[in-house]
């Protein structure tokens, strides 16, 4: 009958709408995951996440990070927002951040009737909100939350969608934090090496030069760019130094290296070990030219003084032997 056909049509239409909504949700998750994986910059990695939340119907989608998760030398933004009212509810960031540190998520369908937030009536407040903690491997990184201008009933699908995006955001923040930590350590080490007056050379297990600080570049006339690994013997044409760096022994060895310009360096090479095997060597050279000159001057001074003392003593000894010829004194 017509009623049965109409009912079937409505059922199919509901199925079509539900399937379309699910496909749209999966597509937003796919776009967000691709964006998260494509960058090691916080703003670029988190932008697809908050955009996906805003596109799902939220008037404001925000991410607030914990300040302590950023390495101290790095200055970086910790607030990210999207949506038509993206900054209207930013005064709630700190409260939501504190609450989600204690509980994994907040679901407030009617915000005005929910306890837990101190709402300022003079400021704009959402009617509904949902917040999920950004947590990865038991470390709390911040919160992803969405505010709705009109009341919103949160379904299991909505909660699952926001939670999935929060997991992706937490993974992105964890990876970027690790990258920033390593990058900060690299810059610190680079600054130390650049300010060190002693030449420093680093080779890999294949005797290729992977690092030469500016002092070493000045002495040997080499510049190692990032990614380059020139052969040691072709780059550093000082046999005594090459022999020291190519030793297979894992012990620390030292040797004096005479340079063509007449300077003398004390080179100390140590093996770099990883998981019990040698992966390269580090060599530090100290200019001992002045010390060698002082040692030479010392030897010459002692020789001169001993000669100048010996000559009058020899003369006095000769006269003393002649006193016997004069008889008793």
């Amino acid at each position: 009958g017509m009623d049965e056909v109409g009912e079937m049509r409505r059922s199919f239409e509901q199925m079509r709408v539900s399937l379309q909504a699910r496909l749209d949700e999966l597509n937003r998750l796919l776009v967000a995951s691709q964006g998260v994986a494509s960058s090691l910059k916080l703003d670029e990695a988190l932008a697809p996440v908050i955009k996906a939340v805003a596109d799902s119907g939220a008037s404001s989608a925000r991410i607030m990070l914990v300040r302590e998760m950023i390495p101290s030398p790095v200055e970086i933004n910790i607030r990210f927002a999207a949506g038509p009212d993206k900054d209207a509810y930013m005064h709630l960031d700190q409260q939501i951040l504190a609450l989600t540190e204690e509980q994994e998520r907040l679901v407030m369908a009617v915000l005005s009737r929910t306890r837990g937030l101190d709402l300022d009536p003079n400021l704009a407040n959402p009617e509904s909100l949902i917040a999920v903690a950004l947590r990865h491997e038991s470390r709390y990184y911040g919160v992803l939350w969405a505010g709705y201008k009109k009341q919103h009933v949160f379904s299991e699908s909505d909660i699952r969608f926001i939670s999935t995006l929060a997991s992706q955001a937490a993974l992105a923040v964890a990876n970027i934090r690790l990258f920033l930590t390593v990058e900060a350590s690299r810059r610190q080490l680079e600054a130390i090496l650049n300010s060190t007056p002693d030449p420093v050379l680093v080779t890999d297990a294949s005797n290729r030069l992977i690092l030469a600080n500016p002092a070493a570049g000045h002495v040997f006339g080499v510049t190692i760019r990032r990614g380059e690994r020139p052969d040691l013997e072709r780059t550093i044409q000082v046999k005594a130094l090459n022999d020291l760096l190519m030793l297979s022994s894992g012990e620390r060895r030292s040797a004096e290296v005479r340079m063509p310009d007449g300077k003398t360096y004390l080179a100390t090479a140590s093996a770099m070990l990883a998981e019990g095997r040698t992966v390269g060597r580090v060599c530090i050279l100290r200019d001992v030219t002045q010390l060698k000159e002082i040692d030479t001057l010392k030897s010459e001074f002692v020789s001169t003084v001993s000669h100048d003392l010996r000559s009058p003593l020899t003369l006095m000894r000769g006269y003393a032997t002649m006193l016997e010829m004069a008889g008793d004194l």
Side-chain angles (χ1 to χ4, degrees), residues 27-48:
N27 183 61
R28 286 194 294 269
L29 287 174
L30 178 61
V31 172
S33 63
Q34 290 174 340
V36 164
S38 64
S39 177
L40 285 173
K41 295 181 179 180
L42 277 174
D43 52 349
E44 294 179 2
L46 298 181

Side-chain angles (χ1 to χ4, degrees), residues 257-275:
V257 178
R258 184 81 173 178
M259 299 297 293
D261 60 0
K263 289 188 176 181
T264 303
Y265 288 87
L266 178 64
T268 303
S270 303
M272 294 190 301
L273 300 177
E275 298 180 355

Side-chain angles (χ1 to χ4, degrees), residues 6 11-12 34 36 93 154 159 169 188 190 200 209 218 262 276 289:
S11 297
F12 275 118
Q34 290 174 340
V36 164
D93 280 347
F154 297 100
I159 297 174
Q188 186 177 21
E190 185 179 12
V200 178
L209 200 59
H218 177 71
T289 305

Side-chain angles (χ1 to χ4, degrees), residues 279-305:
V279 295
R281 299 185 75 82
V282 179
C283 181
I284 301 176
L285 295 95
R286 179 165 297 177
D287 189 353
V288 294
T289 305
Q290 189 175 6
L291 296 178
K292 295 288 288 184
E293 292 176 353
I294 292 174
D295 186 64
T296 302
L297 290 174
K298 181 197 71 174
S299 300
E300 293 177 353
F301 174 76
V302 171
S303 176
T304 301
V305 170

Side-chain angles (χ1 to χ4, degrees), residues 306-324:
S306 62
H307 177 270
D308 290 347
L309 288 175
R310 192 184 301 115
S311 296
L313 286 175
T314 302
L315 195 62
M316 291 168 64
R317 183 181 180 184
Y319 283 128
T321 56
M322 294 175 64
L323 289 176
E324 297 178 355

Side-chain angles (χ1 to χ4, degrees), residues 174-208:
N175 290 336
I176 292 171
R177 179 183 182 276
L178 179 61
F179 170 75
L180 291 176
T181 302
V182 173
E183 182 66 13
S185 299
R186 186 194 67 80
R187 290 180 180 178
Q188 186 177 21
L189 178 60
E190 185 179 12
I192 293 172
L193 290 175
N194 289 343
S195 60
T196 300
D198 295 330
V200 178
L201 300 172
V202 181
T203 62
D204 61 10
S206 302
N207 291 323
R208 293 186 175 275

